Amino acid sequence: MDALRIGGIISGLDTNGIVETLTQQAKQTYYSLEQKYANKTLEKNVYQSISTDLVSIKADLLNLKLESTFKSKNVSVSNSSILSATASISAKNGSHTIKVSQTARNSYTYSQFTNVALSEKGAGVSSISGRPNDFLEGIHNVTISTATISATDYYISKDEFSPNNLGQLNKYSGSSLSIVDTKGELTSDLSGNFTISINSTVYSVSVSAVTGDDINKVTKSIEDSLNSQLNSANSTTNKNYLAVRADFNSTSGSWNMAIYDTSLESLTIEAQSDSISQSLGLHNGTSSTTTKSVTTKISKYHVSDSYANLLTKLNDTTAGLIPGVTLTADSSLSDGSFKIAQDSSLNVKAESYSKVTGATVSTGLGLDTSVTGLQNAGFSKTPSTSTNGTFTINGVSITIDDYTALSVNDLIAKINSSGAGVTASYDSTEDKIVLQSNTAGAENITLGDFSDTSDILSVLKLTSADGATKTTGSSSGSVDPTVKLSSAGFTKTVTSGIFTINGVSIYVDASVDTLNDVIYKVNNSGANVELSYDEVADKVTLRSKDSIDKILLGSSNDTSSFLEALNLTDDTTTSSEFGVAGQYAILNVDGINYIRDTNKIDDIISGVTLNIKNASDEYTTIDISTDTTKAVEYFAKFVQHYNQMIEKLSPPEIDDEDEQYLTPLTEDEKNNMTSEEVTDYEEKWKTYTTYNIISKSSELRLLKNSLRSNLLSEATGITGAYKSLSEIGISIAGDGDLSVIKKGMLVKDSTDYDEILSELKNNETFLNALSENPDDVYKLFSENSSTATGWARKYESVINQYVSTGGLISLKIQPFGTIDRQLYNLADRMDDEQTRVTSYLERVWSQFTNMEKQIAQLQEQGNYLTQLLASQK
């Protein structure tokens, strides 16, 4: 409201100026209180800052009271690939020699029982069922065909099995068999022992077969017996080391034995001179007659005199296509092919490729694929000028400029190099053109476009109108562990009920539980195992938590097929041991042998935990020493904070020139200065006033004296070798330089952590005390009994006299403490003074207003008298 007052209009006086002057004079007391308030606020901030710094020093002292600070151990290992080690503070310094002969391993099992899925139908086969009784994984590519041998028609099944993850296989082939006919049936009884050397170890198999038995029955019995013996000899389970088959020559009608190495271990195989080996064409009585070759497929043949009898052979439980698996034909077998995926994944679904298979393309004699001119190749629909032009596959346009200049091979190459994403081929057996997608899975092959001008797709009989058929491929699959078991995609249907692991029964509800749910149940049960699922491999692993015994699966009480669906067993109602047995850790420590059931061993060397990684014939040395790093770093941090505190409590003297800055600016003074001048002044005010507060504070002078006097004082009652910091090499910085010593800095005249740390790392007395007598150094800092108080504890009590409840500094800065009460009183006086100044200002204005009124009245009277006198003249 003051700004609206206008004085001096009547009197002509500078009323505003007079009032402003009087007001400034009246405000001097307020300004003085305001400056005192600012200084007192800064004083509280100074004490709070020092209190915070003291608390940091207390934190440093806490670290110096910890046993781990001085007694932590370093462990160095000469060969970290064999073992690692950690040591607690109780470990004794020294060296140990260790030899690890064997690492510990818990028992485990995994999805190993194979399942099958018909990944590509054909040859009349519409479905399959059952479970294989071998453990090879891969794809069966089966072809059904007919052949005339010696004027007799035979029906032949050829299975080319491509094993997963084996690459090239060694194959040992014998000479022609004289004891079987064209259909592979024995012409005489076969009985005796078959002997074979595998990696210089001789194994014997009892063979018993009668006239009319299929040769595949003989090979199966030999294969099963040899694999069983090899598993026993190598302490493995369900591993196929060998595959034994019989090869068939469809031209001559002859058979010969073949043995495949399926172990990836490069087995050396040699048949012995027994009568069975001679009968099977593997030995002539003097030497082995086998020849070694390399292949990527395992072949198996069945031959019969009709499709019906061939299907019977293929479904034989012992000698069939896949023993344990039954094929179902729509009506009967027919020439053609089909594929079967066989593996131990939970969802057996092998990769296959989408195809377009054309109808019969020639006049019946087959195509001549190399003759120039498509019109000369023998197509049933003869190419013409309408064949020239463009045709489309998967959206890619392909051009035929001159059909008379192309062969069928040229056309196929043109398609394959077009980038259409398919591979074209001519199946001479079927007399059909086939297009196969280059990418596995349900890739759709599209043929033709409205813009096409060539009729070549019709000539190739690849259109649906011409009788072509499409087959959709599939990708390799996996189960979904997050959906209920009944719809998760298991090859074998999961039924609800009980399954048993290590004698512990677990219930599963296939309509509610997911695989993840059941994994949780298993892992948290008392079965003492851990079940895990690998989504990439689509298999599970079951591992013992702390046992080397094989895992027991199944029970006569089991009602759920869950374990079978996981391919962990083929009969959940029979309790059986599965997987790989674990083993104990065997090691020698300092000349003494030990056996433990874990690779983490903490009960041989006191205070030391050994973590075994690998076995070795070499000895490994571990060296245990005191780790001084932590103690040096913690003490360096204390010294840094101590030196910073001493520096803060030792402010420089204020020059006479700088005393002008001990008074804070008033608002009026700020209004008459530039912003830069204000900033500069306030920075100097804060600095010099802080110096002034610290130098004049009796509490802070006492604090400084207490910190210095107790620093190197001797701790009484300590039971260790050291009684003071000086005895472990710690001293006031200066090294004889009185000007530096006077400052009272510890270790080094510096507040830089890295400089202090470097000084301590070069202090041999300090380092030797830490490394050679860590117990005594710990006692110096932290001993606590009725008769002894460690240095860190004693020094902490000195600080507590200032910052703990009731401490000298705490009393000043605590809420409603000394300084707060002073600030409150100043604020109260400032309020009163502000009220007084306001009242005084109102009174002055009132007086000047009355004066103006009186002057106005006098002027009005004067004017009246003047007018009156003028009227009387």
Side-chain angles (χ1 to χ4, degrees):
M1 296 296 291
D2 293 350
L4 299 179
R5 290 170 171 169
I6 302 175
I9 296 177
I10 304 299
S11 65
L13 296 175
D14 181 9
T15 306
N16 286 342
I18 296 171
V19 172
E20 180 65 23
T21 300
L22 294 173
T23 302
Q24 290 300 321
Q25 293 174 350
K27 283 185 176 180
Q28 291 306 308
T29 301
Y30 177 84
Y31 288 151
S32 176
L33 292 172
E34 188 178 51
Q35 290 169 329
K36 289 180 180 179
Y37 190 92
N39 281 341
K40 186 59 66 174
T41 301
L42 179 59
E43 180 183 352
K44 182 175 182 179
N45 291 338
V46 169
Y47 277 105
Q48 285 177 327
S49 174
I50 291 174
S51 177
T52 299
D53 293 343
L54 289 173
V55 171
S56 294
I57 295 177
K58 282 187 62 177
D60 297 332
L61 293 172
L62 173 61
N63 290 328
L64 294 174
K65 291 189 297 181
L66 299 176
E67 193 174 11
S68 60
T69 297
F70 302 99
K71 297 185 180 182
S72 293
K73 302 294 182 177
N74 277 326
V75 182
S76 62
V77 181
S78 62
N79 191 338
S80 59
S81 66
I82 295 176
L83 61 87
S84 64
T86 57
S88 67
I89 60 176
S90 65
K92 297 184 180 299
N93 292 352
S95 298
H96 303 271
T97 56
I98 301 171
K99 180 181 179 182
V100 179
S101 300
Q102 180 173 285
T103 59
R105 183 188 67 220
N106 291 337
S107 59
Y108 67 93
T109 188
Y110 48 87
S111 300
Q112 56 185 321
F113 287 88
T114 56
N115 239 319
V116 290
L118 186 62
S119 60
E120 189 174 303
K121 298 179 181 180
V125 175
S126 58
S127 64
I128 60 174
S129 60
R131 182 190 287 275
N133 58 25
D134 66 21
F135 300 90
L136 289 174
E137 298 186 67
I139 302 296
H140 295 271
N141 293 277
V142 185
T143 302
I144 305 296
S145 62
T146 56
T148 301
I149 305 171
S150 301
T152 302
D153 291 335
Y154 291 96
Y155 299 83
I156 305 166
S157 166
K158 179 182 180 181
D159 175 16
E160 290 186 304
F161 180 72
S162 301
N164 293 342
N165 306 316
L166 289 183
Q168 292 185 327
L169 311 173
N170 288 326
K171 177 181 179 181
Y172 297 84
S173 301
S175 57
S176 296
L177 295 175
S178 59
I179 60 169
V180 297
D181 60 17
T182 302
K183 292 187 295 182
E185 296 171 1
L186 295 180
T187 56
S188 61
D189 293 347
L190 191 64
S191 180
N193 289 325
F194 168 70
T195 54
I196 189 169
S197 171
I198 302 174
N199 285 353
S200 301
T201 299
V202 176
Y203 296 89
S204 178
V205 177
S206 176
V207 176
S208 179
V210 297
T211 302
D213 281 346
D214 195 296
I215 188 62
N216 288 300
K217 178 180 179 181
V218 177
T219 59
K220 178 62 174 174
S221 66
I222 294 174
E223 176 183 308
D224 288 348
S225 179
L226 288 177
N227 280 322
S228 176
Q229 293 180 63
L230 288 167
N231 272 285
S232 177
N234 292 286
S235 299
T236 54
T237 304
N238 298 336
K239 181 174 180 178
N240 281 84
Y241 288 88
L242 300 171
V244 184
R245 300 288 188 267
D247 281 344
F248 176 67
N249 187 317
S250 60
T251 301
S252 64
S254 62
W255 293 78
N256 65 277
M257 286 282 290
I259 302 175
Y260 300 82
D261 175 6
T262 58
S263 67
L264 282 180
E265 296 176 10
S266 299
L267 303 179
T268 300
I269 299 172
E270 187 173 1
Q272 305 300 290
S273 59
D274 57 82
S275 60
I276 300 297
S277 294
Q278 295 178 47
S279 297
L280 295 177
L282 300 175
H283 204 282
N284 59 15
T286 302
S287 61
S288 172
T289 57
T290 60
T291 58
K292 183 179 178 181
S293 60
V294 174
T295 183
T296 59
K297 295 179 173 62
I298 299 174
S299 298
K300 188 175 188 179
Y301 293 85
H302 291 83
V303 180
S304 192
D305 52 10
S306 68
Y307 284 133
N309 289 336
L310 179 60
L311 180 60
T312 299
K313 279 193 171 186
L314 294 179
N315 286 335
D316 187 276
T317 56
T318 301
L321 176 68
I322 306 174
V325 175
T326 300
L327 309 179
T328 300
D330 289 328
S331 55
S332 68
L333 293 179
S334 61
D335 285 4
S337 62
F338 57 92
K339 289 184 180 181
I340 297 175
Q342 175 177 328
D343 59 58
S344 58
S345 61
L346 310 190
N347 182 348
V348 181
K349 188 178 181 184
E351 287 186 340
S352 61
Y353 298 82
S354 295
K355 287 183 181 180
V356 175
T357 303
T360 303
V361 72
S362 77
T363 56
L365 301 176
L367 294 179
D368 184 341
T369 58
S370 61
V371 65
T372 300
L374 295 179
Q375 74 280 9
N376 301 320
F379 286 102
S380 58
K381 180 177 180 178
T382 304
S384 64
T385 54
S386 298
T387 304
N388 291 332
T390 61
F391 65 99
T392 305
I393 300 177
N394 284 341
V396 176
S397 180
I398 305 169
T399 302
I400 297 177
D401 294 319
D402 183 0
Y403 73 93
T404 65
L406 294 176
S407 68
V408 173
N409 289 337
D410 293 335
L411 178 60
I412 288 174
K414 182 181 282 287
I415 293 172
N416 293 343
S417 60
S418 68
V422 297
T423 297
S425 62
Y426 171 60
D427 184 343
S428 58
T429 302
E430 296 293 322
D431 190 26
K432 296 176 181 179
I433 299 293
V434 178
L435 300 180
Q436 178 174 294
S437 175
N438 293 339
T439 304
E443 296 287 332
N444 185 33
I445 299 176
T446 61
L447 300 177
D449 186 81
F450 72 91
S451 62
D452 286 355
T453 57
S454 171
D455 67 354
I456 190 63
L457 294 176
S458 179
V459 171
L460 297 177
K461 299 298 179 70
L462 289 174
T463 68
S464 57
D466 290 303
T469 58
K470 284 188 177 183
T471 304
T472 302
S474 62
S475 302
S476 57
S478 61
V479 301
D480 187 339
T482 65
V483 302
K484 58 186 180 181
L485 296 172
S486 58
S487 56
F490 286 90
T491 299
K492 181 175 180 63
T493 302
V494 180
T495 56
S496 299
I498 296 171
F499 64 91
T500 305
I501 301 176
N502 285 338
V504 176
S505 60
I506 299 168
Y507 182 77
V508 58
D509 186 338
S511 64
V512 175
D513 292 330
T514 68
L515 177 56
N516 286 340
D517 292 335
V518 184
I519 288 175
Y520 179 83
K521 289 181 182 181
V522 171
N523 294 346
N524 289 276
S525 71
N528 199 35
V529 293
E530 184 173 283
L531 180 64
S532 61
Y533 172 59
D534 182 341
E535 292 192 43
V536 176
D538 190 35
K539 298 178 181 180
V540 298
T541 299
L542 193 61
R543 189 178 301 274
S544 291
K545 292 180 179 179
D546 57 10
S547 173
I548 66 170
D549 296 329
K550 285 187 176 183
I551 298 173
L552 190 65
L553 299 178
S555 164
S556 58
N557 296 322
D558 281 5
T559 55
S560 172
S561 62
F562 180 72
L563 295 177
E564 293 184 39
L566 296 186
N567 296 324
L568 293 171
T569 177
D570 61 345
D571 181 7
T572 190
T573 60
T574 300
S575 180
S576 304
E577 291 183 335
F578 290 95
V580 179
Q583 62 185 24
Y584 290 106
I586 301 175
L587 67 162
N588 180 289
V589 180
D590 297 332
I592 302 175
N593 292 324
Y594 296 91
I595 297 177
R596 295 292 184 269
D597 60 2
T598 176
N599 289 317
K600 185 176 182 179
I601 302 169
D602 59 7
D603 62 347
I604 295 178
I605 303 174
S606 178
V608 177
T609 299
L610 303 174
N611 294 285
I612 296 175
K613 299 178 182 177
N614 293 294
S616 174
D617 292 331
E618 300 178 0
Y619 278 93
T620 300
T621 301
I622 67 169
D623 292 304
I624 305 168
S625 59
T626 302
D627 180 9
T628 62
T629 303
K630 190 182 293 186
V632 172
E633 291 177 349
Y634 282 160
F635 195 74
K637 185 60 67 176
F638 164 76
V639 172
Q640 179 195 26
H641 289 155
Y642 170 84
N643 287 352
Q644 288 173 344
M645 176 60 69
I646 294 300
E647 185 176 66
K648 182 177 286 188
L649 295 176
S650 306
E653 293 185 5
I654 303 173
D655 297 336
D656 293 340
E657 181 182 346
D658 296 327
E659 288 184 355
Q660 61 178 312
Y661 296 106
L662 296 180
T663 303
L665 294 172
T666 65
E667 288 300 319
D668 290 336
E669 288 172 330
K670 291 179 182 179
N671 292 335
N672 293 322
M673 300 169 67
T674 65
S675 60
E676 291 80 7
E677 290 173 334
V678 171
T679 299
D680 178 66
Y681 186 98
E682 289 186 336
E683 288 179 355
K684 292 179 179 178
W685 165 75
K686 184 176 181 180
T687 299
Y688 297 129
T689 303
T690 297
Y691 292 164
N692 191 50
I693 292 169
I694 293 174
S695 62
K696 291 184 177 182
S697 169
S698 59
E699 294 91 348
L700 298 183
R701 285 197 303 272
L702 182 60
L703 169 64
K704 179 180 177 181
N705 292 334
S706 296
L707 292 176
R708 294 188 59 172
S709 62
N710 286 280
L711 190 63
L712 299 179
S713 62
E714 185 173 301
T716 59
I718 301 299
T719 58
Y722 308 115
K723 302 296 187 294
S724 68
L725 295 184
S726 59
E727 292 183 10
I728 60 173
I730 303 302
S731 61
I732 297 297
D735 195 22
D737 187 339
L738 292 178
S739 63
V740 177
I741 293 174
K742 185 178 179 181
K743 292 181 180 180
M745 297 289 196
L746 188 61
V747 176
K748 187 175 180 63
D749 184 17
S750 173
T751 58
D752 183 85
Y753 172 78
D754 291 330
E755 291 181 359
I756 296 169
L757 181 64
S758 177
E759 187 76 14
L760 289 173
K761 287 182 176 179
N762 291 316
N763 187 329
E764 291 186 6
T765 302
F766 183 54
L767 295 179
N768 288 339
L770 291 175
S771 60
E772 296 175 8
N773 299 297
D775 289 339
D776 288 338
V777 176
Y778 170 63
K779 289 178 180 178
L780 167 64
F781 279 92
S782 191
E783 190 164 358
N784 186 27
S785 68
S786 59
T787 58
T789 301
W791 178 87
R793 297 182 184 277
K794 177 182 177 182
Y795 209 70
E796 182 182 40
S797 67
V798 171
I799 294 174
N800 284 337
Q801 293 175 16
Y802 295 86
V803 298
S804 63
T805 301
L808 295 179
I809 293 178
S810 178
L811 288 173
K812 280 183 166 292
I813 63 174
Q814 68 187 13
F816 305 108
T818 303
I819 295 180
D820 275 0
R821 290 197 299 271
Q822 292 171 341
L823 287 171
Y824 177 81
N825 290 334
L826 286 171
D828 192 45
R829 292 172 60 189
M830 288 168 64
D831 287 341
D832 291 342
E833 190 62 25
Q834 183 67 46
T835 301
R836 186 190 67 78
V837 171
T838 301
S839 298
Y840 174 72
L841 179 61
E842 291 294 335
R843 189 166 61 252
V844 169
W845 271 111
S846 176
Q847 291 173 351
F848 272 102
T849 301
N850 289 333
M851 181 189 72
E852 290 287 334
K853 290 180 178 180
Q854 291 174 4
I855 292 174
Q857 289 176 356
L858 289 174
Q859 287 179 343
E860 184 179 349
Q861 291 174 0
N863 290 335
Y864 174 76
L865 291 173
T866 300
Q867 292 175 0
L868 182 62
L869 289 173
S871 65
Q872 293 178 352
K873 288 182 179 181

